[in-house]
Amino acid sequence: MKEDKPCCAAEALRRIRQVDVGGVVVGLSMLDKVIADVEALGLASEVRLSDELVKRTKVYNYIPKSAEKMYGEALLAVYRNEVKNHDKA
């Protein structure tokens, strides 16, 4: 399976999404890919979902260790919204 990595810095910038993390809006790169990859895993546990979302998001973005819980909550909220919208389609 071919990995869908950005070809250059400009392409990576086009793949940034804004997410509210604990009241602060941050830009996260490759979030659409992270969500699709985690959704494909079919995880049911919210703790596992949150952990996997943070783990995969950290591949493309810096997440401070002290903020991982907040990022996990924010990413899980985005994930739920995305998956719910996929189910409606």
Coordinates of all heavy atoms in Angstrom, one line a residue:
M1 N 0.8 -1.2 0.0 CA 0.0 0.0 0.0 C 0.9 1.2 0.0 O 1.8 1.4 0.8 CB -0.9 0.0 1.2 CG -1.8 1.1 1.4 SD -2.9 0.9 2.8 CE -3.1 2.5 3.3
K2 N 0.6 2.2 -0.9 CA 1.4 3.4 -1.0 C 1.0 4.4 0.1 O -0.1 4.6 0.3 CB 1.2 4.0 -2.4 CG 2.0 5.2 -2.6 CD 1.8 5.7 -4.0 CE 2.7 6.9 -4.3 NZ 2.1 8.2 -3.8
E3 N 2.0 4.9 0.8 CA 1.8 5.8 1.8 C 1.5 7.2 1.2 O 2.1 7.6 0.3 CB 3.0 5.9 2.7 CG 2.8 6.7 4.0 CD 1.9 6.0 5.0 OE1 1.8 4.8 5.0 OE2 1.3 6.7 5.8
D4 N 0.4 7.9 1.7 CA 0.0 9.2 1.2 C 0.7 10.3 1.9 O 0.1 11.0 2.7 CB -1.5 9.3 1.3 CG -2.0 10.5 0.6 OD1 -1.4 11.0 -0.3 OD2 -3.1 11.0 1.1
K5 N 2.0 10.4 1.7 CA 2.8 11.5 2.4 C 2.8 12.7 1.5 O 2.9 12.6 0.3 CB 4.2 11.0 2.7 CG 4.2 9.9 3.7 CD 5.6 9.5 4.1 CE 5.6 8.4 5.1 NZ 6.9 7.9 5.4
P6 N 2.9 13.9 2.1 CA 3.0 15.1 1.3 C 4.3 15.1 0.5 O 5.4 14.6 1.0 CB 2.9 16.2 2.3 CG 3.2 15.6 3.6 CD 2.8 14.2 3.5
C7 N 4.3 15.6 -0.7 CA 5.5 15.6 -1.5 C 6.5 16.7 -1.0 O 7.7 16.6 -1.3 CB 5.2 15.8 -2.9 SG 4.4 17.5 -3.3
C8 N 6.0 17.7 -0.4 CA 6.9 18.9 0.0 C 6.3 19.6 1.1 O 5.1 19.4 1.5 CB 7.1 19.8 -1.2 SG 5.6 20.4 -1.9
A9 N 7.0 20.6 1.6 CA 6.4 21.4 2.7 C 5.1 22.2 2.3 O 4.2 22.3 3.1 CB 7.5 22.4 3.2
A10 N 5.1 22.6 1.1 CA 3.9 23.4 0.7 C 2.7 22.5 0.7 O 1.6 22.8 1.1 CB 4.1 24.0 -0.7
E11 N 2.8 21.2 0.2 CA 1.7 20.2 0.2 C 1.3 19.9 1.7 O 0.1 19.8 2.0 CB 2.1 19.0 -0.5 CG 1.1 17.9 -0.4 CD -0.2 18.2 -1.1 OE1 -0.3 19.1 -2.0 OE2 -1.2 17.5 -0.8
A12 N 2.3 19.8 2.6 CA 2.0 19.5 4.0 C 1.2 20.7 4.6 O 0.2 20.4 5.3 CB 3.3 19.3 4.8
L13 N 1.5 21.9 4.2 CA 0.8 23.0 4.7 C -0.7 23.0 4.3 O -1.6 23.5 5.0 CB 1.5 24.3 4.3 CG 2.7 24.7 5.1 CD1 3.4 25.9 4.4 CD2 2.4 24.9 6.5
R14 N -0.9 22.6 3.1 CA -2.3 22.5 2.6 C -3.1 21.5 3.3 O -4.3 21.5 3.2 CB -2.3 22.2 1.1 CG -1.9 23.4 0.2 CD -2.1 23.1 -1.2 NE -1.2 22.2 -1.8 CZ 0.0 22.6 -2.3 NH1 0.3 23.9 -2.3 NH2 0.8 21.7 -2.9
R15 N -2.5 20.6 4.0 CA -3.2 19.5 4.7 C -3.3 19.8 6.2 O -3.6 18.9 7.0 CB -2.4 18.2 4.6 CG -2.4 17.7 3.1 CD -1.7 16.4 3.0 NE -1.5 16.0 1.7 CZ -1.2 14.8 1.3 NH1 -0.9 13.9 2.2 NH2 -1.0 14.5 0.0
I16 N -3.2 21.0 6.6 CA -3.4 21.4 8.0 C -4.8 21.8 8.3 O -5.5 22.5 7.6 CB -2.4 22.6 8.4 CG1 -1.0 22.2 8.3 CG2 -2.8 23.2 9.8 CD1 0.0 23.3 8.6
R17 N -5.3 21.2 9.5 CA -6.6 21.5 9.9 C -6.5 22.1 11.3 O -5.7 21.8 12.1 CB -7.5 20.2 10.0 CG -7.8 19.7 8.7 CD -8.8 18.6 8.7 NE -9.9 18.7 9.6 CZ -10.7 17.8 9.9 NH1 -10.6 16.5 9.4 NH2 -11.8 18.0 10.7
Q18 N -7.4 23.1 11.6 CA -7.5 23.7 12.9 C -8.4 22.9 13.8 O -9.5 22.5 13.5 CB -8.0 25.1 12.8 CG -7.0 26.0 12.0 CD -7.5 27.5 11.9 OE1 -8.7 27.7 12.0 NE2 -6.6 28.4 11.7
V19 N -7.8 22.7 15.1 CA -8.6 22.0 16.1 C -8.5 22.8 17.4 O -7.4 23.3 17.8 CB -7.9 20.6 16.3 CG1 -8.6 19.8 17.4 CG2 -8.0 19.8 15.0
D20 N -9.6 22.8 18.1 CA -9.6 23.5 19.4 C -9.1 22.5 20.5 O -9.7 21.4 20.7 CB -11.0 23.9 19.8 CG -11.1 24.7 21.1 OD1 -10.4 24.3 22.0 OD2 -11.9 25.6 21.2
V21 N -8.0 22.8 21.1 CA -7.4 21.9 22.1 C -7.4 22.6 23.4 O -6.6 23.5 23.6 CB -6.0 21.4 21.7 CG1 -5.4 20.5 22.8 CG2 -6.0 20.7 20.4
G22 N -8.3 22.3 24.3 CA -8.4 23.0 25.6 C -8.5 24.5 25.5 O -8.0 25.2 26.3
G23 N -9.3 25.0 24.5 CA -9.5 26.4 24.3 C -8.5 27.1 23.5 O -8.7 28.3 23.3
V24 N -7.5 26.4 23.0 CA -6.5 27.0 22.1 C -6.6 26.3 20.7 O -6.6 25.1 20.6 CB -5.1 26.8 22.6 CG1 -4.1 27.4 21.7 CG2 -5.0 27.5 24.0
V25 N -6.8 27.1 19.7 CA -6.9 26.6 18.3 C -5.5 26.3 17.8 O -4.6 27.2 17.8 CB -7.6 27.5 17.4 CG1 -7.7 26.9 16.0 CG2 -9.1 27.7 17.9
V26 N -5.2 25.1 17.4 CA -3.9 24.7 16.9 C -4.1 24.1 15.5 O -5.1 23.6 15.2 CB -3.2 23.6 17.8 CG1 -2.9 24.2 19.2 CG2 -4.0 22.3 17.9
G27 N -3.0 24.2 14.7 CA -3.0 23.6 13.4 C -2.4 22.2 13.4 O -1.3 22.1 13.9
L28 N -3.1 21.2 12.9 CA -2.5 19.9 12.9 C -2.5 19.4 11.5 O -3.4 19.4 10.7 CB -3.4 18.9 13.7 CG -3.5 19.2 15.2 CD1 -4.5 18.3 15.9 CD2 -2.1 19.1 15.9
S29 N -1.3 18.9 11.1 CA -1.0 18.4 9.8 C -1.4 17.0 9.7 O -1.3 16.2 10.6 CB 0.5 18.6 9.5 OG 0.7 18.1 8.2
M30 N -2.0 16.6 8.5 CA -2.3 15.2 8.1 C -3.4 14.6 9.0 O -3.5 13.4 9.1 CB -1.0 14.3 8.2 CG 0.1 14.8 7.4 SD -0.2 14.8 5.6 CE -0.3 13.1 5.3
L31 N -4.3 15.4 9.6 CA -5.3 14.9 10.4 C -6.3 14.1 9.7 O -6.8 13.1 10.2 CB -6.0 16.1 11.2 CG -7.0 15.7 12.3 CD1 -6.3 14.8 13.3 CD2 -7.5 16.9 12.9
D32 N -6.6 14.4 8.4 CA -7.6 13.6 7.7 C -7.1 12.2 7.5 O -7.8 11.2 7.6 CB -7.9 14.2 6.3 CG -8.6 15.5 6.4 OD1 -9.4 15.7 7.4 OD2 -8.4 16.4 5.5
K33 N -5.8 12.1 7.2 CA -5.2 10.7 7.1 C -5.2 10.0 8.4 O -5.5 8.8 8.4 CB -3.7 10.9 6.6 CG -3.1 9.5 6.5 CD -1.7 9.6 5.9 CE -0.9 8.3 5.9 NZ -1.6 7.1 6.1
V34 N -4.9 10.6 9.5 CA -4.8 10.0 10.8 C -6.2 9.5 11.1 O -6.4 8.3 11.5 CB -4.4 11.0 11.9 CG1 -4.6 10.5 13.3 CG2 -2.9 11.3 11.7
I35 N -7.3 10.3 10.9 CA -8.6 9.9 11.2 C -9.0 8.7 10.4 O -9.6 7.7 10.9 CB -9.6 11.0 11.1 CG1 -9.4 12.1 12.2 CG2 -11.1 10.6 11.1 CD1 -10.1 13.4 12.0
A36 N -8.7 8.7 9.1 CA -9.1 7.6 8.2 C -8.4 6.3 8.6 O -9.0 5.2 8.6 CB -8.7 8.0 6.7
D37 N -7.1 6.4 9.0 CA -6.3 5.3 9.4 C -6.9 4.7 10.7 O -7.0 3.4 10.8 CB -4.8 5.6 9.5 CG -4.1 5.9 8.2 OD1 -4.8 5.6 7.1 OD2 -3.0 6.4 8.2
V38 N -7.2 5.5 11.6 CA -7.7 5.0 12.9 C -9.1 4.4 12.7 O -9.4 3.4 13.3 CB -7.7 6.1 14.0 CG1 -8.4 5.7 15.2 CG2 -6.3 6.5 14.3
E39 N -9.9 5.0 11.9 CA -11.3 4.5 11.6 C -11.2 3.1 11.0 O -12.0 2.2 11.4 CB -12.0 5.4 10.7 CG -13.5 5.0 10.5 CD -14.2 6.0 9.6 OE1 -13.6 6.9 9.0 OE2 -15.5 5.8 9.4
A40 N -10.2 2.9 10.2 CA -10.0 1.6 9.5 C -9.7 0.5 10.5 O -9.9 -0.7 10.3 CB -9.0 1.7 8.4
L41 N -9.1 0.9 11.7 CA -8.8 -0.1 12.7 C -10.0 -0.7 13.4 O -9.9 -1.8 14.0 CB -7.8 0.5 13.8 CG -6.5 1.0 13.3 CD1 -5.8 1.7 14.4 CD2 -5.7 -0.2 12.8
G42 N -11.1 0.0 13.4 CA -12.3 -0.5 14.0 C -12.3 -0.6 15.5 O -12.9 -1.5 16.1
L43 N -11.6 0.3 16.1 CA -11.5 0.3 17.6 C -12.8 0.8 18.2 O -13.4 1.7 17.7 CB -10.3 1.2 18.1 CG -8.9 0.8 17.6 CD1 -7.9 1.9 18.0 CD2 -8.5 -0.5 18.0
A44 N -13.2 0.1 19.3 CA -14.4 0.5 20.0 C -14.2 1.3 21.3 O -15.0 2.2 21.6 CB -15.3 -0.7 20.3
S45 N -13.1 1.0 21.9 CA -12.8 1.7 23.2 C -12.4 3.1 23.0 O -11.5 3.4 22.2 CB -11.7 0.9 23.9 OG -11.1 1.7 24.9
E46 N -13.0 4.1 23.7 CA -12.7 5.5 23.5 C -11.2 5.7 24.0 O -10.6 6.6 23.4 CB -13.7 6.4 24.2 CG -15.0 6.3 23.5 CD -15.9 7.6 23.8 OE1 -15.5 8.3 24.7 OE2 -16.9 7.7 23.2
V47 N -10.8 5.0 25.0 CA -9.4 5.2 25.5 C -8.4 4.8 24.4 O -7.5 5.5 24.1 CB -9.2 4.4 26.8 CG1 -7.7 4.4 27.2 CG2 -10.0 4.9 27.9
R48 N -8.7 3.6 23.8 CA -7.8 3.1 22.7 C -7.9 4.1 21.5 O -6.8 4.3 20.9 CB -8.2 1.7 22.3 CG -7.8 0.7 23.4 CD -7.7 -0.7 23.0 NE -6.8 -0.9 21.9 CZ -7.0 -1.8 21.0 NH1 -8.1 -2.6 21.0 NH2 -6.2 -2.0 20.0
L49 N -9.1 4.6 21.2 CA -9.2 5.5 20.1 C -8.4 6.8 20.4 O -7.6 7.2 19.5 CB -10.7 5.9 19.9 CG -11.5 4.9 19.1 CD1 -13.0 5.3 19.2 CD2 -11.1 4.9 17.6
S50 N -8.5 7.3 21.5 CA -7.8 8.5 21.9 C -6.3 8.3 21.9 O -5.6 9.1 21.3 CB -8.3 9.0 23.3 OG -7.5 10.1 23.7
D51 N -5.9 7.2 22.4 CA -4.4 6.9 22.4 C -3.9 6.7 21.0 O -2.8 7.3 20.7 CB -4.1 5.6 23.2 CG -4.3 5.8 24.7 OD1 -4.5 6.9 25.2 OD2 -4.4 4.8 25.4
E52 N -4.6 6.1 20.2 CA -4.2 5.8 18.8 C -4.2 7.1 18.0 O -3.3 7.4 17.2 CB -5.1 4.8 18.1 CG -4.5 4.2 16.8 CD -3.2 3.5 17.0 OE1 -3.0 2.8 18.1 OE2 -2.4 3.5 16.1
L53 N -5.2 8.0 18.2 CA -5.2 9.3 17.5 C -4.0 10.1 17.9 O -3.4 10.8 17.0 CB -6.6 10.0 17.8 CG -7.8 9.4 17.2 CD1 -9.1 9.9 17.9 CD2 -7.8 9.8 15.7
V54 N -3.7 10.2 19.2 CA -2.6 11.0 19.6 C -1.3 10.4 19.1 O -0.4 11.1 18.5 CB -2.5 11.1 21.2 CG1 -1.2 11.6 21.6 CG2 -3.7 11.9 21.7
K55 N -1.1 9.1 19.2 CA 0.1 8.4 18.7 C 0.3 8.7 17.2 O 1.4 9.1 16.8 CB 0.0 6.9 18.9 CG 1.1 6.1 18.3 CD 0.8 4.6 18.6 CE 1.3 3.8 17.4 NZ 0.9 2.4 17.6
R56 N -0.7 8.6 16.4 CA -0.6 8.8 14.9 C -0.4 10.3 14.6 O 0.3 10.7 13.7 CB -1.7 8.2 14.2 CG -1.6 6.7 14.2 CD -2.9 6.0 13.7 NE -2.8 4.6 13.8 CZ -2.5 3.7 12.8 NH1 -2.4 4.2 11.5 NH2 -2.5 2.4 13.0
T57 N -1.1 11.2 15.4 CA -1.0 12.6 15.1 C 0.4 13.1 15.4 O 1.0 13.9 14.7 CB -2.0 13.4 15.9 OG1 -3.3 12.9 15.6 CG2 -1.9 14.9 15.7
K58 N 1.1 12.5 16.4 CA 2.4 12.8 16.8 C 3.5 12.5 15.7 O 4.5 13.1 15.7 CB 2.8 12.1 18.1 CG 2.2 12.7 19.3 CD 2.4 11.9 20.6 CE 3.8 12.0 21.0 NZ 4.0 11.4 22.4
V59 N 3.1 11.6 14.8 CA 4.0 11.3 13.7 C 4.3 12.6 12.9 O 5.4 12.8 12.4 CB 3.5 10.2 12.8 CG1 4.3 10.0 11.6 CG2 3.4 8.9 13.6
Y60 N 3.2 13.4 12.7 CA 3.3 14.6 11.8 C 3.3 15.9 12.6 O 3.6 16.9 12.0 CB 2.1 14.6 10.9 CG 1.9 13.3 10.1 CD1 1.0 12.4 10.5 CD2 2.7 13.1 9.0 CE1 0.8 11.2 9.7 CE2 2.5 11.9 8.3 CZ 1.6 11.0 8.6 OH 1.5 9.8 7.9
N61 N 3.1 15.9 13.9 CA 3.0 17.1 14.7 C 3.6 17.0 16.0 O 3.7 15.9 16.6 CB 1.5 17.4 14.9 CG 0.7 17.5 13.6 OD1 0.6 18.6 13.0 ND2 0.1 16.4 13.2
Y62 N 4.1 18.1 16.6 CA 4.6 18.1 17.9 C 3.5 18.2 18.9 O 2.6 19.1 18.8 CB 5.6 19.2 18.2 CG 6.0 19.3 19.6 CD1 6.9 18.3 20.1 CD2 5.6 20.3 20.4 CE1 7.2 18.4 21.5 CE2 6.0 20.4 21.7 CZ 6.8 19.4 22.3 OH 7.2 19.5 23.6
I63 N 3.4 17.2 19.8 CA 2.4 17.3 20.9 C 3.2 17.1 22.2 O 3.8 16.1 22.5 CB 1.4 16.2 20.8 CG1 0.6 16.3 19.5 CG2 0.4 16.2 22.0 CD1 -0.5 15.2 19.3
P64 N 3.2 18.2 23.1 CA 3.9 18.1 24.4 C 3.3 16.9 25.2 O 2.1 16.7 25.2 CB 3.7 19.4 25.0 CG 3.1 20.3 24.0 CD 2.5 19.4 22.9
K65 N 4.2 16.2 25.9 CA 3.8 15.1 26.7 C 2.7 15.6 27.7 O 1.7 14.9 28.0 CB 5.0 14.5 27.5 CG 4.7 13.3 28.3 CD 4.6 12.1 27.5 CE 4.5 10.9 28.4 NZ 3.9 9.8 27.7
S66 N 2.9 16.8 28.3 CA 2.0 17.3 29.3 C 0.6 17.6 28.7 O -0.4 17.8 29.5 CB 2.6 18.5 29.9 OG 2.8 19.5 29.0
A67 N 0.5 17.7 27.4 CA -0.8 18.1 26.8 C -1.4 16.9 26.1 O -2.5 17.1 25.4 CB -0.6 19.2 25.8
E68 N -0.9 15.7 26.2 CA -1.4 14.6 25.4 C -2.9 14.3 25.8 O -3.7 13.9 24.9 CB -0.5 13.3 25.6 CG 0.7 13.4 24.8 CD 1.6 12.2 25.0 OE1 1.2 11.2 25.7 OE2 2.7 12.1 24.4
K69 N -3.2 14.4 27.0 CA -4.6 14.1 27.4 C -5.6 15.1 26.8 O -6.6 14.7 26.2 CB -4.8 14.2 28.9 CG -6.2 13.8 29.4 CD -6.3 13.7 30.9 CE -7.7 13.2 31.2 NZ -8.3 13.8 32.3
M70 N -5.2 16.4 26.8 CA -6.1 17.4 26.1 C -6.2 17.2 24.6 O -7.3 17.3 24.1 CB -5.5 18.8 26.4 CG -5.9 19.4 27.8 SD -5.6 21.2 27.9 CE -3.9 21.3 27.4
Y71 N -5.1 16.9 24.0 CA -5.1 16.6 22.6 C -5.9 15.3 22.3 O -6.7 15.3 21.3 CB -3.7 16.3 22.0 CG -3.0 17.6 21.6 CD1 -2.3 18.4 22.5 CD2 -2.9 18.0 20.3 CE1 -1.7 19.6 22.1 CE2 -2.3 19.1 19.8 CZ -1.7 19.9 20.8 OH -1.1 21.1 20.4
G72 N -5.8 14.3 23.2 CA -6.6 13.1 23.0 C -8.1 13.4 23.0 O -8.9 12.9 22.2
E73 N -8.5 14.2 24.0 CA -9.9 14.6 24.1 C -10.4 15.4 22.8 O -11.5 15.1 22.3 CB -10.2 15.4 25.3 CG -10.0 14.6 26.6 CD -9.9 15.5 27.9 OE1 -10.0 16.7 27.7 OE2 -9.8 14.9 29.0
A74 N -9.6 16.3 22.4 CA -9.9 17.1 21.2 C -10.0 16.3 20.0 O -10.9 16.4 19.2 CB -8.9 18.3 21.1
L75 N -9.0 15.4 19.8 CA -8.9 14.5 18.6 C -10.1 13.6 18.6 O -10.6 13.3 17.6 CB -7.6 13.8 18.5 CG -6.4 14.7 18.2 CD1 -5.1 13.9 18.5 CD2 -6.4 15.2 16.8
L76 N -10.4 13.1 19.8 CA -11.6 12.1 19.9 C -12.9 12.8 19.5 O -13.7 12.3 18.7 CB -11.7 11.6 21.3 CG -12.7 10.4 21.5 CD1 -12.4 9.3 20.5 CD2 -12.7 10.0 22.9
A77 N -13.0 14.1 19.8 CA -14.2 14.9 19.5 C -14.3 15.1 17.9 O -15.3 14.9 17.3 CB -14.3 16.2 20.2
V78 N -13.1 15.4 17.4 CA -13.1 15.6 15.9 C -13.4 14.2 15.2 O -14.1 14.2 14.3 CB -11.7 16.1 15.5 CG1 -11.5 16.1 13.9 CG2 -11.5 17.5 16.0
Y79 N -12.8 13.2 15.7 CA -13.0 11.8 15.2 C -14.4 11.4 15.2 O -15.0 11.0 14.2 CB -12.1 10.8 16.0 CG -12.3 9.4 15.6 CD1 -11.6 8.8 14.5 CD2 -13.3 8.6 16.2 CE1 -11.8 7.5 14.1 CE2 -13.5 7.3 15.8 CZ -12.7 6.7 14.8 OH -12.9 5.4 14.4
R80 N -15.1 11.6 16.4 CA -16.5 11.3 16.5 C -17.3 12.0 15.4 O -18.2 11.5 14.8 CB -17.0 11.6 17.9 CG -16.7 10.6 18.9 CD -17.4 10.9 20.2 NE -16.7 10.5 21.3 CZ -16.3 11.3 22.3 NH1 -16.6 12.6 22.3 NH2 -15.7 10.8 23.3
N81 N -17.1 13.3 15.3 CA -17.8 14.2 14.3 C -17.6 13.7 12.9 O -18.5 13.6 12.1 CB -17.4 15.6 14.5 CG -18.2 16.5 13.6 OD1 -19.4 16.5 13.6 ND2 -17.5 17.4 12.8
E82 N -16.3 13.3 12.5 CA -16.0 12.8 11.2 C -16.7 11.5 10.9 O -17.2 11.3 9.8 CB -14.5 12.7 11.0 CG -13.7 14.0 11.1 CD -13.8 14.8 9.8 OE1 -13.8 14.2 8.7 OE2 -13.8 16.0 10.0
V83 N -16.6 10.6 11.9 CA -17.2 9.3 11.7 C -18.7 9.4 11.6 O -19.3 8.7 10.8 CB -16.7 8.3 12.8 CG1 -17.5 7.0 12.7 CG2 -15.2 8.0 12.7
K84 N -19.3 10.2 12.4 CA -20.7 10.4 12.3 C -21.1 11.0 11.0 O -22.1 10.5 10.4 CB -21.2 11.4 13.4 CG -22.7 11.6 13.5 CD -23.1 12.4 14.7 CE -22.5 13.7 14.8 NZ -23.0 14.6 15.9
N85 N -20.4 11.9 10.4 CA -20.7 12.4 9.1 C -20.5 11.4 8.0 O -21.2 11.4 7.0 CB -19.8 13.7 8.8 CG -20.3 14.9 9.6 OD1 -21.4 14.9 10.1 ND2 -19.4 15.8 9.8
H86 N -19.5 10.5 8.2 CA -19.3 9.4 7.2 C -20.5 8.4 7.2 O -20.9 8.0 6.2 CB -18.1 8.6 7.5 CG -16.8 9.3 7.2 ND1 -15.6 9.0 7.8 CD2 -16.5 10.4 6.4 CE1 -14.7 9.8 7.4 NE2 -15.2 10.6 6.5
D87 N -21.0 8.2 8.4 CA -22.1 7.3 8.5 C -23.4 7.8 7.9 O -24.2 7.1 7.4 CB -22.4 6.9 10.0 CG -21.3 6.1 10.7 OD1 -20.5 5.5 9.9 OD2 -21.3 6.1 11.9
K88 N -23.6 9.1 7.9 CA -24.7 9.8 7.3 C -24.7 9.7 5.7 O -25.7 9.8 5.1 CB -24.9 11.2 7.7 CG -25.3 11.3 9.2 CD -25.4 12.8 9.5 CE -25.9 13.0 11.0 NZ -26.0 14.4 11.4
A89 N -23.4 9.7 5.2 CA -23.3 9.8 3.8 C -23.6 8.5 3.1 O -23.8 7.5 3.6 CB -21.8 10.1 3.4

